Amino acid sequence: MKTSSRTAPKFRLLTLAIAATLVLGACAKQAKVEQDIGSRPEAPREQERQVAAGDSNEVLDSIVITGSRIRVDEQRPHKLERPVGVDDSIVADEPMVLAEMAPPPSPPAPPAPSAHMKILASPAVQSAGVAAIPPASPYDPANREQYAERKDNNVKQVSDEPVSTFSIDVDTGSYSNVRRMLAQGHLPPADAVRAEEFINYFDYGFSAPETRKQPFSVHTELAPAPWNSKRHLLMVGLKGYEIAQESIPASNLVFLIDTSGSMDSADKIGLLKQSFALMVPKLRAQDRISLVVYAGSAGLVLPPTPGDQHETILAALERLTAGGSTNGGEGITLAYEQARRAFIRDGVNRVILATDGDFNVGLVDNEALKSMVSEQRQSGVSLTTLGFGQGNYNDELSEQLADVGNGNHAYIDTLQEGHKVLVEEMSSTLFTIAKDVKIQIEFNPAQVAEYRLIGYENRMLAREDFNNDRVDAGEIGAGHDVTALYEVALVGSGGEQMDPLRYGQKASSKPAAAELAFLKLRYKAPDAETSELITYPIERHQISGTVSARMGFASAVAAFADRLRGGEHIGGFSFTEISKLARQHKGQDPFGYRDEFIGLLDRAQSLSGETAPKVSVAQ
């Protein structure tokens, strides 16, 4: 068949276009092969040296993480061809330049996604659901996770020891860490369970104070113990005044991120980056954000940057990967230097340490690290610790550093938890409304025979510490709840566990015959050095014959913690009975945390081998 003169030119043009496409495709394929074998060109380096932790006034132009050391590159634009890892660079303060490439003959490719989209594109991130990461590996009984040994508080006889004194604690890390273990199919070690952190994970709906003259409201409640109707539970709840997020003073935040080799997994550096990305859109122009990383050495990745430069902050986060040993002490030193450099008077000044706690080079002694943090808090910079990962997680160190750093500790096991800690609870995490908060209760021996404080074992204080303003105690943030439970046996109730003293003297009940106990609290304003005193009598008529939804759910949480630790204090009260109690008193659950708790109870019951309840819930 002949081709017409009008058709022939079109056919020749089509042939040339196909040939050009094949040639360009071959060139692109060759360029990809060269990139994959690491043949990308590098600009010449004029200097190379180890980064010193004390060199805080020099901002790094770029950082190359090579195993356990970090080197400084000369200032240059950097092509972002892949995430930062071994032998890659992080540019701290230079504009990012995309790699140049020839335009394709077909319609142009869509623009590269922003740093924000790279981190937040997944539906899980957009909905603050479970992190879009692979499940953690099965539990290894030979792992190196570290938990401080602890013994439950003993039952105290009021005639012998009528006064109980402790510091508040707003940490929640134990609960979410144990949740991770149960989700992976194994019961936790007893020392991983801290009852007060289980209880304080939940909001019990305490009303906030009407004015800010007193920074928190105080609530008490008395009701029969669900596991033994001959005993009672005394609840003491504090609720800090609330502040809108936009009203939080300007914040100077230093993210101190562990990028050592031990962090190289999806549930560590991967989840860390996703969680921090959720917080970034909430940052404001008046905030200042710095980013310090540490592996074998520490380096400044992002100097103090206005909080509204979201893309710059997210880009720095998105490029981080892990490798090398862990010099946590050097990183902490550099982070505090940056915090002091960008210090905001009358603002929030805080270091946020994200780590698995596996410090293995440099300053590694726990007591020395705690001393360093304790000294640094005198500068007005507090410390929050966020735990990640498993296998080598150092829970003991992470919790204790936060305690001495005037901060709080949380463990992030899912992206939903990251959203809870860094978005939902940002105001309470960042803005301290009262510091050195102590609680002291004196029980009336004419009314109360015995008592036991549930949890707070590592926050107990000597009786004389209550009036000593030089003794450090816990902080409470805006909108924070703090809850404590005592199990008490009233005189003549039949719930006593110890015989009365043969030669003990009974205190006179005439001055306060109706009082069961006398509650005292001390606190300091954030910028004060002298404490204020609050007192409340707790009277017998406050005892309720039934368990409220608030008390019922809190007691279920306390019982769960005790059962996981062996069930020494709740007798035969089983996981099944605890689950029934939690369901009866679930109350409002806007974020689904209580439903999740009930699911964990059922999971623990299955793992423990329990098949049926042994006792009924006391009414």
Side-chain angles (χ1 to χ4, degrees), residues 449-495:
E450 297 169 354
Y451 68 90
R452 181 180 70 87
L453 175 60
I454 298 175
Y456 293 92
E457 286 85 1
N458 67 344
R459 307 294 277 178
M460 300 305 296
L461 298 173
R463 180 174 174 179
E464 62 270 21
D465 290 342
F466 181 76
N467 292 324
N468 187 349
D469 284 346
R470 296 179 63 86
V471 174
D472 183 57
E475 283 66 44
I476 184 170
H480 242 149
D481 282 8
V482 181
T483 305
L485 291 176
Y486 282 89
E487 184 176 8
V488 301
L490 302 182
V491 172
S493 65

Side-chain angles (χ1 to χ4, degrees), residues 221-224 232 540-548:
E221 187 173 338
L222 278 157
H232 288 76
R540 193 179 184 95
H541 70 78
Q542 294 179 238
I543 298 176
S544 173
T546 59
V547 178
S548 69

Side-chain angles (χ1 to χ4, degrees), residues 303-343:
T305 300
D308 61 347
Q309 294 188 15
H310 296 163
E311 288 296 320
T312 300
I313 298 167
L314 286 164
L317 282 171
E318 194 269 333
R319 298 195 306 274
L320 295 177
T321 57
S325 53
T326 317
N327 191 338
E330 189 173 327
I332 291 172
T333 299
L334 181 56
Y336 275 105
E337 288 175 355
Q338 291 306 307
R340 290 193 299 270
R341 174 184 174 188
F343 191 86

Side-chain angles (χ1 to χ4, degrees), residues 161-295:
E161 193 173 339
V163 178
S164 172
T165 309
F166 66 99
S167 162
I168 68 160
D169 185 0
V170 297
D171 295 345
T172 60
S174 175
Y175 178 81
S176 49
N177 186 32
V178 168
R179 176 178 62 197
R180 179 259 302 179
M181 299 179 194
L182 291 172
Q184 292 175 356
H186 62 88
L187 295 170
D191 288 333
V193 180
R194 294 187 288 275
E196 71 277 10
E197 297 188 22
F198 275 50
I199 295 168
N200 283 322
Y201 187 85
F202 298 95
D203 182 347
Y204 298 101
F206 298 120
S207 59
E210 296 180 358
T211 69
R212 296 187 183 182
K213 183 178 180 180
Q214 181 177 302
F216 50 81
S217 58
V218 181
H219 304 264
T220 58
E221 187 173 338
L222 278 157
W227 48 84
N228 188 333
S229 60
K230 294 182 179 180
R231 300 181 199 151
H232 288 76
L233 291 180
L234 167 62
M235 172 186 281
V236 178
L238 311 183
K239 175 69 172 183
Y241 70 72
E242 297 176 337
I243 182 172
Q245 188 168 313
E246 59 270 17
S247 300
I248 297 175
S251 299
N252 165 34
L253 306 178
V254 180
F255 296 117
L256 174 57
I257 298 179
D258 182 351
T259 55
S260 63
S262 66
M263 290 287 289
D264 190 17
S265 63
D267 63 333
K268 294 184 179 181
I269 194 70
L271 181 57
L272 182 157
K273 289 160 58 176
Q274 288 184 327
S275 298
F276 278 15
L278 295 173
M279 179 184 184
V280 171
K282 301 292 186 181
L283 299 174
R284 307 157 301 176
Q286 63 265 40
D287 301 327
R288 291 294 176 269
I289 308 302
S290 305
L291 181 59
V292 173
V293 296
Y294 65 94

Side-chain angles (χ1 to χ4, degrees), residues 74 88 260 314-315 383 399 474 524:
E74 68 178 28
D88 289 328
S260 63
L314 286 164
L383 175 70
E399 187 221 4
K524 298 175 187 171

